[in-house]
Amino acid sequence: GAGVSQSPSNKVTEKGKDVELRCDPISGHTALYWYRQSLGQGLEFLIYFQGNSAPDKSGLPSDRFSAERTGGSVSTLTIQRTQQEDSAVYLCASSLGDLPNSPLHFGNGTRLTVT
Amino acid sequence: GESVGLHLPTLSVQEGDNSIINCAYSNSASDYFIWYKQESGKGPQFIIDIRSNMDKRQGQRVTVLLNKTVKHLSLQIAATQPGDSAVYFCAENEYGNKLVFGAGTILRVKS
């Protein structure tokens, strides 16, 4: 079946511009996660959604970062006034239920480059 | 072992040999652990998971061992194949729905 889909796969933007990254989770998955992966690093948690609510936003690095989820499905991660340190791969994952009952399934990410 | 910045630990094995990838986790209260495989340009792919009430779990060609006394997790891959070459991450569920990932280990399979 279809996995987690993310778009765009690559995004190059100028410093100071806003960007939107999109995630389509696996159909029927109620939980959705955003992670960030810098070059050669592990994954850094950003935010978790259950349905359309975000009970854990503790990983968002600054108020320039925000995310929303609509219809219990698609999610958008928005970064305002991008900085060079925002350059990374942004990964979305979904799961059928809460941990530890359901593992996370990841998309292939959006590679963001801020010039 | 420890990894700093871009210098991930690397394990090189001969095709057909068994591989053992180790991970030290941080929180003794973590109750769920997952191993992921990540190939270049792709997202992490689920391999196997284990709960803290178990010390061993087997999958197809893979086994995860959990030692809670020393907070250590290992992934064993039997008869390693070239397609197993990737970066392997362990992750722990510390609380709620947050997975905390280790820095990763590079597995290189020599033919």
Side-chain angles (χ1 to χ4, degrees):
Chain A
V4 176
S5 177
Q6 292 187 245
S7 61
S9 54
N10 281 284
K11 176 72 176 178
V12 180
T13 190
E14 292 180 351
K15 178 181 172 182
K17 296 284 178 77
D18 298 351
V19 294
E20 284 190 354
L21 312 180
R22 177 187 168 105
C23 173
D24 282 272
I26 295 172
S27 178
H29 280 198
T30 59
L32 186 146
Y33 306 76
W34 284 97
Y35 279 79
R36 178 169 72 173
Q37 186 174 30
S38 300
L39 183 64
Q41 302 290 314
L43 280 71
E44 174 190 6
F45 170 82
L46 298 179
I47 188 170
Y48 153 71
F49 286 92
Q50 180 56 253
N52 293 335
S53 300
D56 190 346
K57 305 179 183 179
S58 62
L60 295 178
S62 74
D63 58 8
R64 296 187 295 105
F65 287 72
S66 63
E68 65 174 12
R69 189 178 185 197
T70 56
S73 181
V74 171
S75 177
T76 302
L77 177 68
T78 301
I79 309 173
Q80 296 178 310
R81 305 181 301 282
T82 51
Q83 304 294 313
Q84 287 186 330
E85 61 263 28
D86 299 334
S87 295
V89 176
Y90 289 83
L91 290 159
C92 176
S94 68
S95 65
L96 196 56
D98 289 342
L99 292 169
N101 298 313
S102 304
L104 277 60
H105 299 273
F106 284 86
N108 287 330
T110 293
R111 180 176 296 279
L112 176 66
T113 304
V114 182
T115 61
Chain B
E2 293 288 321
S3 66
V4 178
L6 298 177
H7 302 289
L8 296 178
T10 300
L11 176 66
S12 292
V13 299
Q14 197 67 38
E15 180 179 358
D17 287 352
N18 297 334
S19 302
I20 300 176
I21 301 171
N22 296 305
C23 175
Y25 63 91
S26 58
N27 191 337
S28 57
S30 293
D31 60 2
Y32 178 62
F33 305 87
I34 308 181
W35 279 100
Y36 282 93
K37 170 188 180 183
Q38 187 174 30
E39 297 173 283
S40 181
K42 296 186 177 181
Q45 176 188 355
F46 171 81
I47 302 174
I48 192 168
D49 58 1
I50 188 168
R51 298 197 187 198
S52 60
N53 61 354
M54 303 172 70
D55 52 20
K56 180 179 180 179
R57 190 167 188 219
Q58 290 185 288
Q60 186 176 13
R61 273 201 314 121
V62 295
T63 301
V64 55
L65 298 177
L66 174 62
N67 185 329
K68 294 181 287 294
T69 302
V70 295
K71 294 190 289 185
H72 185 267
L73 197 64
S74 67
L75 177 70
Q76 300 178 358
I77 305 174
T80 313
Q81 302 168 359
D84 295 326
S85 294
V87 179
Y88 288 80
F89 294 96
C90 65
E92 61 183 300
N93 179 213
E94 290 190 340
Y95 63 88
N97 281 282
K98 185 175 176 178
L99 271 183
V100 175
F101 283 77
T105 297
I106 299 171
L107 176 64
R108 296 193 205 278
V109 182
K110 298 175 285 187
S111 298

